[in-house]
Amino acid sequence: MIRLLFIVCTIGLLTFGCQPANKPPANQAAPPPNIPETIHVKQTAPEAGRPANPQAIARRLTQIAISQPQVRGATAVVAGRYTVVGIDIDPALDRGRVGTIKYSVAQALRKDPYGAHALVTADVDLVQRLRELSEDVRQGRPAVGVAQELAEIVNRLMPQPSKTVPKREQQNTKLNQEKIDQSPSAPSPRQ
């Protein structure tokens, strides 16, 4: 009995006595004991409830576009959910290069929270319309008119697909051909 008690005590001492202490590693300092439980973080994203000044956003997006290589000038119009940026580039550039420049401007705008969904155009006519629209905004034209004009520009850039699906012609099957042949207005096949 004493032997059994001695073995149990030895196993207990070996098991609990050889456990490492809960200390941080030597290369880490122990945290100070007075750390508050809650950490308050300031919101860095723009608040959705407070719309920013559209003219200030347009100026900001224009500066981002102008900072890109081969962009001579830019015009941006922001009205409601629509944002369109028109860029002036060398008209002698080929189409592929123009597309590359538009893509680089769009990527630069995507990094800005207000330019994330902006459309970019290099079409000379549309850029001129955007300039006129931007001037109208500066002069205080009603926002409804500006939004309608901008919506027309957006529809020109991104036409909406029609909701009607064209019907495909059915192949004449044997049954359909028999019905056609039996109709009174159909010419008889023997004529």
Side-chain angles (χ1 to χ4, degrees), residues 10 18 92 116 150 155:
T10 306
C18 294
L150 199 57
N155 281 335

mmCIF file with all atom_site columns, all heavy atoms in Angstrom, residues 10 18 92 116 150 155:
data_model
loop_
_atom_site.group_PDB
_atom_site.id
_atom_site.type_symbol
_atom_site.label_atom_id
_atom_site.label_alt_id
_atom_site.label_comp_id
_atom_site.label_asym_id
_atom_site.label_entity_id
_atom_site.label_seq_id
_atom_site.pdbx_PDB_ins_code
_atom_site.Cartn_x
_atom_site.Cartn_y
_atom_site.Cartn_z
_atom_site.occupancy
_atom_site.B_iso_or_equiv
_atom_site.pdbx_formal_charge
_atom_site.auth_seq_id
_atom_site.auth_comp_id
_atom_site.auth_asym_id
_atom_site.auth_atom_id
_atom_site.pdbx_PDB_model_num
ATOM 1  N N   . THR A 1 10  ? 4.842   9.992  -6.990  1.00 0.00 ? 10  THR A N   1
ATOM 2  C CA  . THR A 1 10  ? 5.946   10.206 -7.909  1.00 0.00 ? 10  THR A CA  1
ATOM 3  C C   . THR A 1 10  ? 5.418   10.585 -9.298  1.00 0.00 ? 10  THR A C   1
ATOM 4  O O   . THR A 1 10  ? 5.919   11.518 -9.940  1.00 0.00 ? 10  THR A O   1
ATOM 5  C CB  . THR A 1 10  ? 6.811   8.939  -8.005  1.00 0.00 ? 10  THR A CB  1
ATOM 6  O OG1 . THR A 1 10  ? 7.222   8.540  -6.700  1.00 0.00 ? 10  THR A OG1 1
ATOM 7  C CG2 . THR A 1 10  ? 8.019   9.177  -8.885  1.00 0.00 ? 10  THR A CG2 1
ATOM 8  N N   . CYS A 1 18  ? 6.895   19.053 -13.896 1.00 0.00 ? 18  CYS A N   1
ATOM 9  C CA  . CYS A 1 18  ? 7.714   19.270 -15.076 1.00 0.00 ? 18  CYS A CA  1
ATOM 10 C C   . CYS A 1 18  ? 7.023   20.134 -16.131 1.00 0.00 ? 18  CYS A C   1
ATOM 11 O O   . CYS A 1 18  ? 7.512   20.275 -17.242 1.00 0.00 ? 18  CYS A O   1
ATOM 12 C CB  . CYS A 1 18  ? 8.088   17.935 -15.705 1.00 0.00 ? 18  CYS A CB  1
ATOM 13 S SG  . CYS A 1 18  ? 9.171   16.956 -14.635 1.00 0.00 ? 18  CYS A SG  1
ATOM 14 N N   . ALA A 1 92  ? -3.816  61.923 -82.414 1.00 0.00 ? 92  ALA A N   1
ATOM 15 C CA  . ALA A 1 92  ? -3.080  61.122 -83.393 1.00 0.00 ? 92  ALA A CA  1
ATOM 16 C C   . ALA A 1 92  ? -2.774  59.713 -82.890 1.00 0.00 ? 92  ALA A C   1
ATOM 17 O O   . ALA A 1 92  ? -2.281  58.877 -83.655 1.00 0.00 ? 92  ALA A O   1
ATOM 18 C CB  . ALA A 1 92  ? -1.774  61.830 -83.762 1.00 0.00 ? 92  ALA A CB  1
ATOM 19 N N   . ALA A 1 116 ? -14.325 55.100 -57.626 1.00 0.00 ? 116 ALA A N   1
ATOM 20 C CA  . ALA A 1 116 ? -14.324 53.651 -57.799 1.00 0.00 ? 116 ALA A CA  1
ATOM 21 C C   . ALA A 1 116 ? -15.254 53.196 -58.919 1.00 0.00 ? 116 ALA A C   1
ATOM 22 O O   . ALA A 1 116 ? -14.969 52.215 -59.594 1.00 0.00 ? 116 ALA A O   1
ATOM 23 C CB  . ALA A 1 116 ? -14.708 52.963 -56.490 1.00 0.00 ? 116 ALA A CB  1
ATOM 24 N N   . LEU A 1 150 ? -26.213 63.891 -67.802 1.00 0.00 ? 150 LEU A N   1
ATOM 25 C CA  . LEU A 1 150 ? -25.162 62.925 -67.497 1.00 0.00 ? 150 LEU A CA  1
ATOM 26 C C   . LEU A 1 150 ? -25.649 61.497 -67.743 1.00 0.00 ? 150 LEU A C   1
ATOM 27 O O   . LEU A 1 150 ? -24.888 60.646 -68.209 1.00 0.00 ? 150 LEU A O   1
ATOM 28 C CB  . LEU A 1 150 ? -24.687 63.102 -66.058 1.00 0.00 ? 150 LEU A CB  1
ATOM 29 C CG  . LEU A 1 150 ? -23.338 62.525 -65.707 1.00 0.00 ? 150 LEU A CG  1
ATOM 30 C CD1 . LEU A 1 150 ? -22.254 63.103 -66.606 1.00 0.00 ? 150 LEU A CD1 1
ATOM 31 C CD2 . LEU A 1 150 ? -22.996 62.809 -64.269 1.00 0.00 ? 150 LEU A CD2 1
ATOM 32 N N   . ASN A 1 155 ? -25.537 56.548 -70.906 1.00 0.00 ? 155 ASN A N   1
ATOM 33 C CA  . ASN A 1 155 ? -26.198 55.599 -71.812 1.00 0.00 ? 155 ASN A CA  1
ATOM 34 C C   . ASN A 1 155 ? -25.486 55.508 -73.150 1.00 0.00 ? 155 ASN A C   1
ATOM 35 O O   . ASN A 1 155 ? -25.496 54.461 -73.789 1.00 0.00 ? 155 ASN A O   1
ATOM 36 C CB  . ASN A 1 155 ? -27.660 55.989 -72.022 1.00 0.00 ? 155 ASN A CB  1
ATOM 37 C CG  . ASN A 1 155 ? -28.526 55.578 -70.855 1.00 0.00 ? 155 ASN A CG  1
ATOM 38 O OD1 . ASN A 1 155 ? -28.193 54.655 -70.128 1.00 0.00 ? 155 ASN A OD1 1
ATOM 39 N ND2 . ASN A 1 155 ? -29.625 56.271 -70.664 1.00 0.00 ? 155 ASN A ND2 1
#
